[in-house]
Amino acid sequence: MENENKKRLAVLVGCNYPNTRNELHGCINDVVAMRGTLVNRFGFDPGNIQLLTDAAAAGSSSSVMPTGANIKKALGAMVDQAKPGDVLYFHYSGHGTRIPSLKPGNPFRQDEAIVPCDFNLITDVDFRQLVNRLPKGASFTILSDSCHSGGLIDKEKEQIGPSHVTEISSTTPSVSSKPKAIPFESILHHLASLTGINTSDIATHLLELFAADASLKFRLPPLELLNMFESSNPDEGILLSGCQANETSADMTNPVMTRGKACGAFSNAVQMVLKEHEADLSNRQVVMLARQVLREQGFEQHPCLYCNDENADATFLCESHIISSL
């Protein structure tokens, strides 16, 4: 099914944090389900999909743990082999967090990060650097089913976000759910217990533990970070986030909707949208329809879309390119 000249590459990461106080239950299920969708609907070659999970699950044979270094290595390798016209996809299901921001004018005074299984945070700056490395003509779609995931690509243009008007749910979720967030203070306490260093500066702990594998945000001076990624040119980064930057995303179980199987509320909503709509959907449509599903289910989380104007109405994962090449 795959066009001979264009590659479709994916990295899928599910972190359940088993046997810890932060344990989730549906994240590995999310990425296993998405792997099937990528192959069966979007024409991905299974050999071009890398799966990283922190526990075994049905349909998962991952042997690579989703540490910060391993996730960044997989994403970096995917970007490095990309050529013009290639379609890249990263699906993350797991905890997110917010960290103190040094950026002027940041409305929340905090920046977004995902939490790999070893707590080596991957930040919005790291995703910006990956997008900036893309060859011209390649696209990189990120779906992050995690708390505080809005704005996870630094400086990406908001298409659907906090300023987008939406109805507030008037129903209560009829599901068992848990927010996919670890508070900054809890992450700081955990890292301090590992380093034995008495400081509230998270960069000190991350650099002590992970050195060159720590996020660029903690390795580069603040002024260098502010100047490093300044650009007014549209890029090919596309972020579909499970919620706004100041919201949480849910890990849920529902006997009816999911047949008792745990999953991320946003990942499940996207799967429902794709199953109900066989025709091409734009990135904007996927996000708006997922918002509708979550609202009907009683969740007060609002998926967001960040990308350039053209990509907002481009087909999700360039599906029309697949159909035209068959």
Side-chain angles (χ1 to χ4, degrees):
M1 290 179 67
E2 194 162 14
N3 187 304
E4 290 181 3
N5 300 317
K6 309 297 181 185
K7 296 191 298 293
R8 303 173 73 78
L9 310 168
V11 174
L12 313 179
V13 174
C15 292
N16 277 347
Y17 317 90
N19 304 313
T20 72
R21 62 165 53 182
N22 303 304
E23 185 169 12
L24 299 172
H25 300 284
C27 300
I28 296 175
N29 292 337
D30 290 339
V31 294
V32 170
M34 181 52 75
R35 182 177 59 181
T37 300
L38 293 178
V39 172
N40 297 325
R41 173 161 178 162
F42 294 101
F44 281 67
D45 183 329
N48 286 335
I49 300 174
Q50 184 170 3
L51 189 69
L52 289 79
T53 63
D54 58 359
S60 169
S61 58
S62 171
S63 60
V64 180
M65 288 290 287
T67 63
N70 286 342
I71 294 171
K72 286 189 286 188
K73 181 179 178 181
L75 292 173
M78 180 171 68
V79 169
D80 287 343
Q81 66 174 297
K83 301 208 174 347
D86 288 352
V87 176
L88 280 59
Y89 179 68
F90 173 52
H91 191 122
Y92 172 75
S93 184
H95 280 301
T97 193
R98 291 192 292 176
I99 54 181
S101 175
L102 299 175
K103 300 174 194 168
N106 187 323
F108 299 117
R109 297 179 180 269
Q110 293 175 304
D111 291 333
E112 301 77 34
I114 62 172
V115 186
C117 66
D118 62 348
F119 280 56
N120 183 9
L121 303 181
I122 302 176
T123 71
D124 55 345
V125 168
D126 299 307
F127 289 110
R128 164 49 57 197
Q129 190 255 4
L130 285 165
V131 168
N132 285 1
R133 286 166 51 190
L134 282 176
K136 187 175 181 179
S139 67
F140 186 9
T141 300
I142 297 171
L143 191 154
S144 188
D145 189 354
S146 56
C147 292
H148 314 303
S149 47
L152 196 56
I153 304 177
D154 188 36
K155 297 183 175 69
E156 199 62 63
K157 182 176 181 180
E158 176 192 310
Q159 300 288 344
I160 302 171
S163 61
H164 194 90
V165 178
T166 187
E167 298 176 27
I168 299 298
S169 171
S170 59
T171 61
T172 301
S174 57
V175 298
S176 171
S177 65
K178 176 180 180 179
K180 301 169 81 167
I182 303 178
F184 172 76
E185 294 75 15
S186 298
I187 290 176
L188 188 62
H189 182 269
H190 173 74
L191 295 174
S193 72
L194 297 177
T195 64
I197 300 173
N198 184 21
T199 178
S200 60
D201 177 30
I202 194 169
T204 298
H205 298 295
L206 290 166
L207 291 170
E208 174 70 17
L209 291 168
F210 304 111
D213 286 329
S215 169
L216 285 171
K217 185 183 292 287
F218 309 115
R219 292 192 283 118
L220 297 180
L223 285 177
E224 189 173 341
L225 278 175
L226 286 174
N227 297 327
M228 188 174 181
F229 302 124
E230 286 295 343
S231 174
S232 58
N233 297 323
D235 58 65
E236 296 304 315
I238 303 166
L239 170 66
L240 291 77
S241 68
C243 61
Q244 297 173 176
N246 61 336
E247 293 181 332
T248 60
S249 294
D251 185 63
M252 70 167 191
T253 303
N254 180 276
V256 178
M257 289 187 294
T258 64
R259 298 181 182 178
K261 195 174 188 179
C263 60
F266 179 50
S267 292
N268 181 64
V270 170
Q271 290 285 354
M272 289 178 63
V273 166
L274 294 175
K275 287 176 182 176
E276 291 171 6
H277 298 81
E278 295 184 0
D280 289 0
L281 292 172
S282 69
N283 292 305
R284 187 190 306 276
Q285 288 172 317
V286 170
V287 171
M288 292 305 297
L289 289 168
R291 278 190 170 209
Q292 180 179 330
V293 169
L294 291 169
R295 184 170 63 247
E296 290 172 352
Q297 292 176 346
F299 289 102
E300 293 190 9
Q301 65 183 78
H302 303 91
C304 301
L305 175 65
Y306 293 81
C307 61
N308 67 42
D309 294 339
E310 182 179 353
N311 281 334
D313 295 307
T315 55
F316 179 61
L317 293 180
C318 303
E319 184 174 12
S320 59
H321 295 182
I322 290 293
I323 295 172
S324 64
S325 68
L326 294 180

